[in-house]
């Protein structure tokens, strides 16, 4: 199942090792390096051939719009899964890719341009990332574009179109942070602490960065860069904290979390957030490569600026050098005002070090006018760095401003940063002027270009909280009209996006896509909370999963929030002071301090403010003023105050002036007189309003009525609604609402319809049905938003010839009735029309069809499409394991399908045929339309679900049934399970793969606790599990997990009854005891009649031994008297063995062998097999250690039983010839070999001697193979176990005694027949292990041991290894209910059971006593009398002298009367007595 990921990683490895350093024609469409002969990174080159580059804008204070390409619009579905893995696009998930690309951006330029956007900031690096990294912030190669977004030619085409429209492009640049390929020694599975002495680095896998490498050689002296602290001052004496460094292109000091309190200098030399390797950009050779790559990207794509990600984690001097290098590069291509902003998340004091040439607190400018008048010739004492070393032109999304906004907009908490200015806009702006170097490095003039925004891609969406949309609009009022700088939006902000898709409460953001998608509705109910704020007031976001509008297209030109933003941007064009005026003044305010409970006594100033935006006196010649009034109270309020009082609502215009609001409803006010004189003319008083009403979180902008410029008309509403879904109809009535009276005749000519339908028919506007009418203020719906644009005029008409499909209604630049104004925009609206089973029209409810999949007359599979409106489709017949290529939607609606291709285990197979068809529509810009279908099966969306968790070793415990069942009554997946609560589980679609490992491609958990299954990237640090915290309440017994796979929602219900279970438990407890006792009594009564005494046991004859009864039951278990002929053997020529020590293949003409009379035991018979042994009468001993002693004791002291002892003949020992036996044939690696056999009987012992070269290679002192993990040892133990198995066939004993791991797989060769076994543990730490990490290794080990892979998987495999001891434990667990394992002592049995997980499948490990031979000897009925015990008088005479010698030797007091205890051997029962 996970092979596609391996294929991708293999491709990626090839790319990273070849593409950047060596030109590869296969990657030419994406490789920015076009130099085919380059051998070093600095030799790479690339320029846009035959292209005229676009000059920079002279003024960057333009509206910016932030876009993450993947989360925007899907213009080309063929790149959605560009790397061919299963971890890229998933239309049901928010943590993988949506499919947006550069073509989708081009298709949306009308929408963006129509809103007044001038600069597109494309967030995330465009360069190669991991396949699942949709945000683009972890690049692998700075010279290769990510295939998901488009080719170089497609990028160039779109950027050329953007420039043609008078717009610009700014790209993200990660500078020194890359992907996650490097780890540190000793910390691969945990975080690496920051260390003053660098760690040794290593690659986590075979992947490499093509142009950068680490090094572990220590450098005695390092030239560290300058570091600065939060206080804005240089950090000195770091030489005592940093002890040398490595000769590396990467920083290797450790890892730093994304959030937390760390010195800023440590962040700059540490791996970021544990997942982003950090380049050592302060090393000149590294910096030169980074600069060179950035220049190539600029030259190949004609971009206009860079935004530096994690700007403060770049050492500032390196950043300044990089910036100057890029400015010089840009000038080569006619870009004289290239823009470079940086992400600054810290307080203003530290951020000031990076702005321009930088300032420390000692270099701040006290006079704000002096600051505004500064140029590149100003005194160097005000700057840290020399001329030409400007780092950032401005802050990207100024976080200091954002923190101010969160306070003034009513958020509660402690979130200010060190060095942030006061929360007063005038003081704030003056502080920025004094602390920030805002001189343009290109022009040498004062030029404030901070990017201000209310939301970005890394913070929460304001409409998600209570009154959030009103707060967002007020925030935009501040960032767009009040503060001098660059107003910045993030995609969807103009549509009041509120869904959030974060996975952690300390990092809350919303990144839902612009084009339609089901995933963000499915996961739209926010549950994770926001730990950054006290009592985070989430409201709307709690209900996102019930809002069907979430899955609509969001490029709605009539959205009221968009219209407010559009009108605000237009104000900046109509009134230059709002764009370029540097002066902010507070005229008056009516406020009070509000102390929120979680803000640690930090007040939130609340009330109404009167502000002036103007040009800077003495520095600017802007002869214009705008009066800005706003309030941050959560109620509609009329503010009243006497104009001669201290709290008078003052205006910057003279009394008697009539002012007009620039925002709808464009009302006018005549200013009253006040007691305050005008600053420019004391003879005139400041105008004043004694009363003004503001909506909650309201705002107004005033200019003298004579300066008022009529706003451009906008479409205020489209009916029946943008991207509305309609049941099939031929006529659709539409309405277009406008903010002004339009030209009724001209609008008919300005409406165009573009249709994608089954019959290729295009809908038409029925001009005869059109109506035009004015709407009075009383008739218009009042806007709930401050500044909301109201409807004044409506156009009504019908669309006819409407076929099933998608229709785009375009309204192109419509004029007002007098022709003086027009919309200056091309606006597009969508309609989807179709039957209820059309997945393009109704993707949420039409995701399954009973008719889409069928068989034709030949029995072949075919699709009958229902997706009118689609342009392309692709399909999967194996539940998304693979997909077909994208194809054009067929004109006849039919597609013939080839047979499915799939491989997997029997448990992974499914019944019937299933298809998943995915559809893409160009007009909707989305491929989030899927329809499932089945043949010969009930409806389903998945083939299986397996529950994985700690209760079943996350799937490794194959003995635990964990497959969910699909209830035919309600179509839901269900599974009952008990565990120790709380428990965490995951749902795995494919379970265990053929390689014995849990599948990783389709694993579902619930990371945010919203009861909807989540799927996340494979290398995520997050544990994707369902957390079940509560145990079932009384009287329930277990939990049942219930899943609806149509919408991925699940719930937990309690099932069962504890009291019934307890009753059954008691019955099952007592009934076996009673019946067992009865059985024992009957057995003793009729069979053995065992008596116990202090000496031994007396046997009485019974009906017969177990061996005899087994012979009766299995009469076929006799030894063949016919020789096994070589002609009957198959010798494959492809046998893979290289061992030369195997027994020789049997040759013709072997002598006749005589079998002893075996299997005719009269008593209990036991078989043991050891490599240590003692043949007493032959005087042969082979390394009699602990295990050999145990076997020796059994042979000597179990005379009342028959013992079969299997032993190998070792080298260097001459064995007498006794009774020859039939040779044993074994099979290894597909080839058969012969082992010679002879039998020797001594008392009750039958020795089975095995003779073959593989056994003879061992010696009398070393009978065991030296290793347990190589090919030779595997062959040895395979031969050994196959011989034991054959001995068990020849001697049907009552019990097979397995000693340790050596002979543990022998019973597996007898399956399905079963032999009773006992497993005794002598050295359980040695288990017999061979790797099974890959399919090749698995097959090889199975072939060596001559065992079927299914048998190995069930009995032997433990994790990724072939484990002999696990085979013995599994055999006991499966066939003996876990009974039969013992340690050689009480302690050792318990310790082994606690220590080794392979034994945990059995109930317990018992204990064997250290045997005294008299305890196990044959019973002598006569009691030994003390008086009859003989005494050796001669020996007794020598004991006093021996006692003295012992006392003297042991340095004890020599006392003839003392008792002397002499102990020989071990003084414990841990592992037996020698």
């Amino acid at each position: 199942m996970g092979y596609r990921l391996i294929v991708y990683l293999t491709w990626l490895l090839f790319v990273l090792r070849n593409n950047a350093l060596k030109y590869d024609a296969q990657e030419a469409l994406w490789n920015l390096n076009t130099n085919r002969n380059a051998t070093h990174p600095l030799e790479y080159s690339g320029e846009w051939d035959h292209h005229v580059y676009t000059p920079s804008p002279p003024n960057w204070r333009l509206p910016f719009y932030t876009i993450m390409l993947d989360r925007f619009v899907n213009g080309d579905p063929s790149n959605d899964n560009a790397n061919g893995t299963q971890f890229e696009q998933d239309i049901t998930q928010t943590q993988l890719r949506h499919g947006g690309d550069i073509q989708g951006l081009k298709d949306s330029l009308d929408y963006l341009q129509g809103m007044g956007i001038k600069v597109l900031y494309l967030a995330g690096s465009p360069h190669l990332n991991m396949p699942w990294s949709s945000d683009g912030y972890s690049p692998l190669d700075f010279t290769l574009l990510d295939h998901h977004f488009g080719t170089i030619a497609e990028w160039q085409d779109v950027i050329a179109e953007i420039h043609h429209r008078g717009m610009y492009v700014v790209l993200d640049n990660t500078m020194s942070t890359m992907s996650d390929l490097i780890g540190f020694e000793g910390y691969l599975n945990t975080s690496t602490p920051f260390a003053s002495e660098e760690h040794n680095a290593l690659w986590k896998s075979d992947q490499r960065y093509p142009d950068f490498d680490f090094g572990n050689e220590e450098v005695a002296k390092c030239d560290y860069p300058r570091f600065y602290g939060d206080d804005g001052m240089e950090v000195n004496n770091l030489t005592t904290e940093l002890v040398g460094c490595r000769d590396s292109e990467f920083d290797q000091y450790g890892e730093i979390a994304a959030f937390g309190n760390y010195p800023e200098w440590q962040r700059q030399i540490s791996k970021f957030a544990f997942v982003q390797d950090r380049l050592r950009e302060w090393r000149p050779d590294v910096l030169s490569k980074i600069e060179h790559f950035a220049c190539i990207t600029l030259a190949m794509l004609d971009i206009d600026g860079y935004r530096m990600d994690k700007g403060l984690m770049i050492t500032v001097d390196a950043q300044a050098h990089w910036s100057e290098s890029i400015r010089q590069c840009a000038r080569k291509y006619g870009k004289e005002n290239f823009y470079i902003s940086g992400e600054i998340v810290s307080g203003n004091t530290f951020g000031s070090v990076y702005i321009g040439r930088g300032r420390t607190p000692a270099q701040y400018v006290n006079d704000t006018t002096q600051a505004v008048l500064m140029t590149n010739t100003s005194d160097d004492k005000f700057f840290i760095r020399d001329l030409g070393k400007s780092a950032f032109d401005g802050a990207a999304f100024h976080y200091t401003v954002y923190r101010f906004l969160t306070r003034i907009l009513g958020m509660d908490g402690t979130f200010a940063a060190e060095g942030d200015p006061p929360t007063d806009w005038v003081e704030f702006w003056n502080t920025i002027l004094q602390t920030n170097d805002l001189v343009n490095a290109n022009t040498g003039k004062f030029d404030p270009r901070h990017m201000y925004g209310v939301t970005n891609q890394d913070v929460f969406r304001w409409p998600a909280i209570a009154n959030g949309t009103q707060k967002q609009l007020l925030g935009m009022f501040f960032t767009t009209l009040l503060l001098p700088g660059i107003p910045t939006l993030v995609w969807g902000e103009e549509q009041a996006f509120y869904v959030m898709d974060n996975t952690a409460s300390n990092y809350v953001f919303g990144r839902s896509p612009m084009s339609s998608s089901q995933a963000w509705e499915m996961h739209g109910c926010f549950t994770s909370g926001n730990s950054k704020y006290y009592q985070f007031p989430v409201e709307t976001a709690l209900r996102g999963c019930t809002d069907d509008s979430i899955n609509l297209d969001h490029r709605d030109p009539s959205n009221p929030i968009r219209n407010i933003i559009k009108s605000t941007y237009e104000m900046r064009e109509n009134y230059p002071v709002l764009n370029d005026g540097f002066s902010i003044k507070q005229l008056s305010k009516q406020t009070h301090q509000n102390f929120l409970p979680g803000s640690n006594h930090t007040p939130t100033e609340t009330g109404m403010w009167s502000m002036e935006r103007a040009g800077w006196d003495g520095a600017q010649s802007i002869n214009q003023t705008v009066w800005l009034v706003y309030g941050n109270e959560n109620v509609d309020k009329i503010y009243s105050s006497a104009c001669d009082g201290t709290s008078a609502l003052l205006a910057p215009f003279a009394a008697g002036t009539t002012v007009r609001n620039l925002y709808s409803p464009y009302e006018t006010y005549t200013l009253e007189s006040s007691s305050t004189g005008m600053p420019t003319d004391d003879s005139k008083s400041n105008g004043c309003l004694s009363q003004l009403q503001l909506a909650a979180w309201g705002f107004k902008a005033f200019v003298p009525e004579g300066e008022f410029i009529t706003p451009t008309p906008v479409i205020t509403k489209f009916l029946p609604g943008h991207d509305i879904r309609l049941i099939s109809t031929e006529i659709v009535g539409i309405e277009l609402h406008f903010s002004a009276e339009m030209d009724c005749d001209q609008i008919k000519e300005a409406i165009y319809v573009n249709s994608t339908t089954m019959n290729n028919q295009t809908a038409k506007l029925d001009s005869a049905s059109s109506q035009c009418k004015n709407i009075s203020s009383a008739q218009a719906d009042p806007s709930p938003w401050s500044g909301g644009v109201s409807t004044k005029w409506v156009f009504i008409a019908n669309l006819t010839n409407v076929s099933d499909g998608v229709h785009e209604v375009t309204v192109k630049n419509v004029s007002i009735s007098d022709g003086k104004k027009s919309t200056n925009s091309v606006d597009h609206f969508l309609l989807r029309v179709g039957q209820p089973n059309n997945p393009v029209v109704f993707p949420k409810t039409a995701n399954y069809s009973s008719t889409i999949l069928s068989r034709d007359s030949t029995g072949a599979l075919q699709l009958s499409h229902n997706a009118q409106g689609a342009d392309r489709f692709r399909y999967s017949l194996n539940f998304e394991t693979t997909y077909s290529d994208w194809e054009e939607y067929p004109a006849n609606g039919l597609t013939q399908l080839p047979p499915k291709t799939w491989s997997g285990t029997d448990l992974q197979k499914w019944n019937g045929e299933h298809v998943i068809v995915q559809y893409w529509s160009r007009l909707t810009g989305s491929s989030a339309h899927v329809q499932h279908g089945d043949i010969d099966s009930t409806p389903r969306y998945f083939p299986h679900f397996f529950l994985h968790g700690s209760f079943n070793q996350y799937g490794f415990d194959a003995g635990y049934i964990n497959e969910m069942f699909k209830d035919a009554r309600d179509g839901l997946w269900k599974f009952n399970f008990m565990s120790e609560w709380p428990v965490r589980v995951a749902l795995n679609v494919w379970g265990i793969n053929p390689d014995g490992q849990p599948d990783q491609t389709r694993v579902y958990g619930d990371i945010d606790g919203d009861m909807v299954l989540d799927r996340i990237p494979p290398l995520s640090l997050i544990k994707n599990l369902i957390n079940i915290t509560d145990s079932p309440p009384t009287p329930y017994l277990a939990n049942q997990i219930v899943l609806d796979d149509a919408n991925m929602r699940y719930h937990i219900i309690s099932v069962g009854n504890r009291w019934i279970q307890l009753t059954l438990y008691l019955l099952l407890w007592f009934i076996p005891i009673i019946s067992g006792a009865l059985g024992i009594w009957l057995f003793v009564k009729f069979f053995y009649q065992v008596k116990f005494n202090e000496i031994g046991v007396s046997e009485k004859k019974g009906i017969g031994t177990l061996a005899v009864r087994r012979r009766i039951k299995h009469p076929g278990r006799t030894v063949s008297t016919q020789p096994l002929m070589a002609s009957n053997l198959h010798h494959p020529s492809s046998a893979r063995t290289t061992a030369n020590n195997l027994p020789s293949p049997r040759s013709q003409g072997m002598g006749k062998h005589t079998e002893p009379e075996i299997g005719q035991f009269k008593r209990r018979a036991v078989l043991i097999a050891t490599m240590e042994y003692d043949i007493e009468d032959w005087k042969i001993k082979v390394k009699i250690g602990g295990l050999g002693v145990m076997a020796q004791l059994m042979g000597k002291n179990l005379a009342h039983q028959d013992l079969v002892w299997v032993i190998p003949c070792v080298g260097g020992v001459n064995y007498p010839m006794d009774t020859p036996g039939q040779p044993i044939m074994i099979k290894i690696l597909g080839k058969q070999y012969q082992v010679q056999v002879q039998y020797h009987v001594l008392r009750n012992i039958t020795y089975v001697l095995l003779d073959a070269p593989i056994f003879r290679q061992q010696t009398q002192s070393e009978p065991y193979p030296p290793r347990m993990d190589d090919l030779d040892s595997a062959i040895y133990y395979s031969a050994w176990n196959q011989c034991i198995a054959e001995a068990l066939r020849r001697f049907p004993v009552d019990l097979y005694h397995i000693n340790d791991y050596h002979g543990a797989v022998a019973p597996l060769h007898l399956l399905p027949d079963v032999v009773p076994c006992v497993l005794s543990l002598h050295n359980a730490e040695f288990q017999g292990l061979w790797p099974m990490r890959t399919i090749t290794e698995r097959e090889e080990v199975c072939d060596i041991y001559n065992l079927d892979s299914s048998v190995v998987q069930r009995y032997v495999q433990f994790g990724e290894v072939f484990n002999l001891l696990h085979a013995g434990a599994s055999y006991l667990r499966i066939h003996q209910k876990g009974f039969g394992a013992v340690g050689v002592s009480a302690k050792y049995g318990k310790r082994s059971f606690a220590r080794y997980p392979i034994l945990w499948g059995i109930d317990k490990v018992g204990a064997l006593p250290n045997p005294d031979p008299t305890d196990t000897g044959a019973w002598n009925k006569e009691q030994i009398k003390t008086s009859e015990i003989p005494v050796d008088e001669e020996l007794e005479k020598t004991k006093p002298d021996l006692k003295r010698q012992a006392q003297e030797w042991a340095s004890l007091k020599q006392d003839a009367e003392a008792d002397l205890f002499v102990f020989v051997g071990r003084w414990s029962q841990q592992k037996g007595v020698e």
Side-chain angles (χ1 to χ4, degrees), residues 327-433:
R327 291 186 187 105
Q328 293 176 7
C329 171
R331 292 185 189 110
K332 290 195 304 183
Y333 303 104
K335 297 177 182 291
E336 299 293 335
N337 194 21
F338 194 83
Y339 179 63
I340 300 172
S341 66
E343 182 183 22
I344 296 178
V345 298
S346 74
N348 178 64
T349 304
F350 183 52
S352 298
V353 174
Y354 283 77
I355 302 301
R357 293 160 62 188
R359 286 181 184 149
T360 67
Q363 296 170 316
Y364 292 166
V365 181
N366 295 324
D367 187 338
T368 53
T369 298
Q370 182 184 8
V372 173
L373 291 173
M374 279 196 169
T375 67
N376 57 5
T377 61
S378 297
D379 196 328
D380 288 344
K381 70 178 183 179
F382 294 110
F383 311 104
I384 297 174
R385 295 177 293 280
D386 295 336
L387 186 65
K389 299 299 180 183
S390 290
F392 296 147
D393 297 328
F397 186 77
H398 207 302
Y399 276 88
T400 295
V401 172
Y402 179 71
R403 287 187 288 270
F404 186 167
L405 288 175
T406 55
R407 178 67 64 196
I408 199 172
L409 295 179
M411 299 303 292
D412 191 4
T414 54
F415 37 77
E418 182 178 348
D420 277 348
T423 52
D424 174 278
W425 283 123
V426 174
E427 292 185 52
F428 178 93
W429 176 238
N430 287 339
T431 301
I432 294 296
L433 293 176

Side-chain angles (χ1 to χ4, degrees), residues 861-1142:
L861 295 174
Q862 71 174 6
L863 295 177
S864 300
H865 297 279
N866 309 306
Q868 293 81 7
D871 292 282
R872 296 189 205 172
F873 77 97
R874 65 174 186 165
Y875 62 87
S876 173
L877 291 170
N878 49 28
F879 287 97
E880 297 188 278
T881 301
T882 58
Y883 265 101
S884 68
D885 292 333
W886 286 93
E887 304 176 25
E888 295 297 319
Y889 190 83
N892 62 358
L894 297 176
T895 301
Q896 300 299 314
L897 302 181
K900 73 168 179 251
T901 57
W902 181 86
S903 63
T905 67
D906 290 341
L907 200 58
Q908 292 175 330
K909 292 179 181 177
W910 61 93
N911 296 323
E913 300 289 347
H914 183 89
V915 71
I916 304 173
V917 189
Q918 184 179 7
Y919 297 97
W920 171 76
S921 162
R922 181 183 60 82
L923 294 178
T924 66
S926 174
S927 60
H929 320 106
V930 161
Q931 194 165 71
H932 294 249
D934 287 285
I935 293 179
D936 303 327
S937 172
T938 57
R940 60 192 166 180
Y941 297 86
F942 294 89
H944 333 271
F945 280 105
F946 297 91
L947 208 65
H948 284 180
S950 56
F951 67 94
N952 67 347
Q953 303 294 312
Y954 289 93
F956 282 112
D957 187 351
Y960 197 116
I961 298 174
N962 64 333
E963 185 172 6
M964 300 181 74
F965 72 95
K966 192 170 181 65
D967 194 332
R969 295 169 298 178
D970 53 19
L972 302 178
W973 294 88
K974 299 176 181 179
F975 185 80
N976 299 334
F977 71 106
M978 298 175 61
S979 184
E980 294 184 6
W981 317 105
V983 66
R984 299 195 299 172
V985 300
L987 300 188
N988 192 315
V989 172
W990 295 111
I992 300 296
N993 278 335
D995 61 0
Q997 296 298 307
D999 182 75
Q1000 299 298 320
T1001 60
R1002 294 280 165 176
V1003 180
Y1004 292 90
D1006 185 8
I1007 51 181
D1008 53 1
D1010 64 350
M1011 309 303 287
V1012 181
L1013 293 183
D1014 298 311
R1015 184 166 168 250
I1016 62 176
L1019 301 183
S1020 174
L1021 298 179
I1022 304 168
K1023 298 293 185 183
N1024 188 22
L1025 298 167
I1026 298 171
N1027 190 15
I1028 305 174
T1029 57
D1030 298 327
S1031 60
T1034 303
Y1036 298 105
L1037 177 66
N1039 277 327
Q1040 182 183 76
I1041 185 166
V1042 181
L1043 170 67
D1044 183 350
D1045 58 353
N1047 56 25
M1048 307 302 287
R1049 299 194 70 84
Y1050 73 94
H1051 60 278
I1052 308 294
I1053 62 176
S1054 299
V1055 295
N1057 188 290
R1058 295 180 185 179
W1059 307 122
I1060 295 175
Q1061 187 73 9
L1062 180 59
T1063 302
L1064 290 173
Y1065 176 80
L1066 293 174
L1067 288 174
L1068 293 174
W1069 176 266
F1070 288 111
I1071 290 175
I1073 293 176
I1074 296 170
S1075 60
L1078 179 60
I1080 293 171
W1081 181 82
L1082 291 172
F1083 184 79
V1084 172
K1085 182 70 175 176
F1086 292 103
F1087 290 84
Y1088 288 109
Q1089 293 189 344
V1090 179
K1091 285 185 178 181
F1092 293 92
N1093 58 34
E1094 296 179 357
I1095 299 175
V1097 180
S1098 175
E1099 290 189 2
K1100 290 191 176 183
K1101 302 297 182 180
I1103 294 175
T1105 64
L1106 177 60
V1108 172
R1109 294 194 296 277
R1110 289 176 59 227
R1111 286 291 297 268
I1112 295 172
K1113 183 177 179 181
H1114 301 287
R1117 281 199 178 180
T1118 58
V1119 177
S1120 173
T1121 59
Q1122 297 299 320
L1124 187 60
M1125 303 301 295
S1127 58
N1128 296 327
L1129 303 180
H1130 175 61
H1131 301 280
S1133 59
S1134 59
R1136 292 169 297 192
T1137 180
T1138 59
N1140 296 317
N1141 52 12
L1142 281 171

Side-chain angles (χ1 to χ4, degrees), residues 127-309:
H127 300 113
L128 180 69
N129 269 256
M130 287 295 189
W132 45 83
S133 297
S134 62
D135 62 6
Y137 283 114
S138 300
L140 294 154
D141 186 341
F142 291 135
T143 66
L144 197 65
L145 293 181
D146 194 316
H147 291 208
H148 293 90
F149 299 140
T151 64
I152 294 173
E154 289 168 336
W155 275 87
Q156 291 174 341
D157 175 61
V158 174
I159 290 176
E161 177 61 24
I162 291 170
H163 286 153
H164 176 72
R165 292 170 179 253
M167 303 163 70
Y168 302 92
V169 177
V170 171
L171 289 187
D172 235 329
N173 191 304
T174 63
M175 178 72 163
S176 54
T177 50
M178 299 191 74
S179 193
D180 182 19
L181 304 186
I182 298 174
F184 300 104
E185 285 185 5
Y187 298 96
L188 282 182
N189 296 315
T190 185
S191 59
T192 308
F194 184 89
S196 58
E197 185 172 351
E198 286 194 280
H199 300 275
N200 281 333
L202 46 79
W203 296 107
K204 289 185 174 183
S205 68
D206 289 336
Q207 292 177 252
R208 302 287 187 271
Y209 297 114
D211 303 309
F212 302 99
D213 200 355
F214 63 76
N216 291 322
E217 183 179 347
E218 293 190 21
V219 178
K221 183 180 183 300
C222 295
D223 294 324
Y224 292 108
R226 286 190 292 184
F227 296 109
Y228 291 82
D230 283 334
D231 59 0
M233 301 301 293
E234 186 174 355
V235 179
N236 296 314
N237 300 321
L238 278 183
T239 53
T240 61
E241 296 195 42
L242 297 178
V243 185
C245 66
R246 300 288 193 267
D247 184 12
S248 175
E249 295 186 311
F250 289 89
D251 286 318
Q252 299 173 199
Y253 289 97
E255 299 172 336
I256 291 285
F259 304 101
N261 294 319
Y262 307 96
E264 297 294 345
W265 65 268
Q266 287 188 9
R267 294 182 186 274
Q268 295 174 355
I269 56 175
S270 302
K271 185 168 183 174
F272 175 71
F274 315 113
V275 294
Q276 289 182 339
D277 301 323
R278 183 172 305 285
L279 284 170
R280 186 162 281 169
E281 82 285 328
W282 44 273
R283 221 174 99 156
D285 57 336
V286 176
L287 183 59
S288 63
K289 288 190 284 188
I290 299 174
E291 292 171 345
H292 187 58
F293 298 155
C295 184
I296 291 176
T297 301
L298 186 160
M300 286 292 287
L301 301 183
D302 191 11
I303 61 173
D304 306 290
Y306 275 122
R307 177 261 191 192
M308 307 306 294
D309 185 55

Side-chain angles (χ1 to χ4, degrees), residues 512-524:
S512 51
M514 286 297 285
S515 61
S516 60
S517 171
Q518 303 175 54
W520 277 263
E521 181 185 356
M522 294 173 65
H523 301 265

Side-chain angles (χ1 to χ4, degrees), residues 129 168 182 324 375 392 486 514 561 677 699 741 781 829 982 1025 1037 1330 1369 1434 1441 1469:
N129 269 256
Y168 302 92
I182 298 174
E324 184 57 27
T375 67
F392 296 147
I486 297 172
M514 286 297 285
I561 307 303
F699 49 86
E741 183 179 350
D781 295 330
F829 299 93
L1025 298 167
L1037 177 66
W1330 287 270
E1434 295 299 322
D1441 187 57
Q1469 289 193 4

